[in-house]
Amino acid sequence: MKDVYTLEDLRHWDAATAGEEPPIRLSVFGDPVAHSLSPQMHNAALAACGIPARYCRLHIRPEELGEALRLLPKAGFLGTNITIPHKAATLGLLDAVDDHARKIGVVNTVVVEGERLLGFNTDGPGLLRAIRAEFGVDLRDLRVMVLGAGGGAGRAIAAQCALENCERLVLVNRTFEKAQRLAAELEPYFKGPRVFGPARRLEAVPWEEPVLAAQLANTDLVINATSCGMKRTDPSVLPSSLLRASLMVYDTIYTAQLTPLLIDAQSAGARVANGASMLLYQGVLSFEIWFNRPAPVEVMRAAMERPS
Ligand code: NAP
């Protein structure tokens, strides 16, 4: 099996994967996608459950997304995961989308049913389980700041916080208008009073240091859902002077054990975790959607932790 397949391979899937046994029937679409740990996690689960199928990476560019999705039934796929930057665009290209994914506006799991493509989202529920596993707390009891609230993962996470009725939600995004639009969509979830004090339960704020400093005084959990930190040369998304020991800091990035943000947060005494646990649980939930059976969680965790 190749590390990464392309649209050209998908157009001639039988020829491109001739001799592959078991056949490749699941994938992750992304751009970039070479970093994805999903194949090792899902291939271990498929083997452990005796399912005769394998999972691969497909490098699909934005302009190729529609064609790539439509090729899946003919190529014999059971489904695919969707990652950066396709999660919002995929929603409009499917035949049906479940309520949760439609509400949050992003899809990360596609099921092929005959000729039809059905969309789901497991990022939010995966994050919920990850936060409980990493910090022993539930989103509903927390004041949360989401950095990158305008991206696919950020929207899913923010919507999950809203659905959990978390104490407080602060939306931050480099392109401010996207955070403002999301706040307007989520407003109905934050009608009831829950926190004491003057802080509003839901706010979109501009990415400006003094504004973030003030907001962080009323925050328990910071979640980085931007892609800043994925490249080795990326700086930390927050200045280290803003980080305090009382914070929990979760970085959805899992390509590094500690991203620049997590290194700074740990130095400040904060509790930190990277996105591996979210990846694990969103993968577990995708597997359960595809196969309608419990996923082998420990097998998947061990596979992710093995060097690729
Ligand atoms: P996306 O839809 O392309 O969104 C990217 C987000 O990052 C946008 O909010 C964008 O802001 C922001 N951004 C990019 N560069 C930035 C910078 N230099 N400074 C500040 N903000 C910046 O991507 P996505 O699918 O949501 O993925 C985002 C991240 O989540 C990735 O790192 C991905 O690995 C991670 N993720 C992890 C898991 C997991 O299971 N652990 C699951 C999903 C995603 P603008 O709106 O201004 O462009």
Side-chain angles (χ1 to χ4, degrees), residues 128-137 277 281 301:
L128 173 71
R129 283 172 71 167
I131 295 299
R132 197 179 293 146
E134 298 286 4
F135 301 122
V137 286
S277 44
Y281 289 114
R301 188 198 308 279

Side-chain angles (χ1 to χ4, degrees), residues 89-278:
T90 296
L91 187 120
L93 299 169
L94 304 177
D95 299 299
V97 175
D98 98 315
D99 263 4
H100 179 70
R102 185 163 300 286
K103 241 179 232 155
I104 62 181
V106 277
V107 163
N108 81 329
T109 304
V110 174
V111 174
V112 178
E113 202 179 74
E115 287 298 311
R116 283 163 49 84
L117 301 175
L118 317 178
F120 300 84
N121 191 295
T122 66
D123 283 330
L127 185 270
L128 173 71
R129 283 172 71 167
I131 295 299
R132 197 179 293 146
E134 298 286 4
F135 301 122
V137 286
D138 278 313
L139 281 180
R140 66 168 179 267
D141 296 322
L142 299 175
R143 299 169 299 172
V144 185
M145 175 184 283
V146 180
L147 304 171
R155 279 186 67 90
I157 288 168
Q160 193 70 39
C161 291
L163 291 169
E164 293 303 309
N165 195 18
C166 73
E167 288 280 352
R168 191 163 183 261
L169 181 60
V170 179
L171 305 177
V172 189
N173 200 62
R174 182 177 59 180
T175 313
F176 182 40
E177 299 71 43
K178 291 190 199 168
Q180 287 178 303
R181 273 203 299 276
L182 182 59
E185 284 173 42
L186 298 181
E187 188 68 48
Y189 293 92
F190 289 90
K191 293 283 190 222
R194 270 194 74 177
V195 251
F196 294 109
R200 287 171 55 199
R201 288 196 58 209
L202 173 66
E203 286 190 71
V205 300
W207 199 310
E208 291 164 12
E209 198 168 327
V211 177
L212 296 184
Q215 291 294 339
L216 283 166
N218 281 304
T219 297
D220 305 305
L221 171 67
V222 177
I223 301 175
N224 177 34
T226 76
S227 42
C228 183
M230 281 180 87
K231 292 194 225 105
R232 276 179 204 282
T233 49
D234 282 346
S236 172
V237 276
L238 285 182
S240 56
S241 57
L242 295 185
L243 298 164
R244 291 175 290 103
S246 57
L247 288 170
M248 290 170 268
V249 181
Y250 190 86
D251 200 327
T252 62
I253 293 171
Y254 58 82
T255 44
Q257 186 64 32
L258 288 176
T259 59
L261 171 68
L262 295 185
I263 292 170
D264 287 351
Q266 203 169 50
S267 304
R271 296 164 70 197
V272 304
N274 80 358
S277 44
M278 179 177 167

Side-chain angles (χ1 to χ4, degrees), residues 56-98:
C56 74
R57 300 182 187 89
L58 267 161
H59 183 202
I60 302 296
R61 297 189 173 82
E63 65 278 13
E64 299 173 339
L65 182 62
E67 181 184 351
L69 285 166
R70 284 296 147 198
L71 285 169
L72 291 177
K74 185 168 152 271
F77 275 66
L78 305 168
T80 189
N81 281 133
I82 304 290
T83 190
I84 189 170
H86 303 312
K87 291 183 185 183
T90 296
L91 187 120
L93 299 169
L94 304 177
D95 299 299
V97 175
D98 98 315

Side-chain angles (χ1 to χ4, degrees), residues 2-51:
K2 290 206 275 188
D3 271 354
V4 178
Y5 290 87
T6 63
L7 176 66
E8 192 50 29
D9 293 322
L10 194 54
R11 286 182 180 137
H12 313 281
W13 195 240
D14 285 349
T17 60
E20 291 292 352
E21 207 49 54
I24 303 170
R25 298 281 182 246
L26 290 161
S27 67
V28 53
F29 284 14
D31 179 23
V33 75
H35 66 277
S36 174
L37 292 180
S38 291
Q40 64 196 68
M41 173 171 74
H42 281 292
N43 283 324
L46 292 164
C49 295
I51 298 170

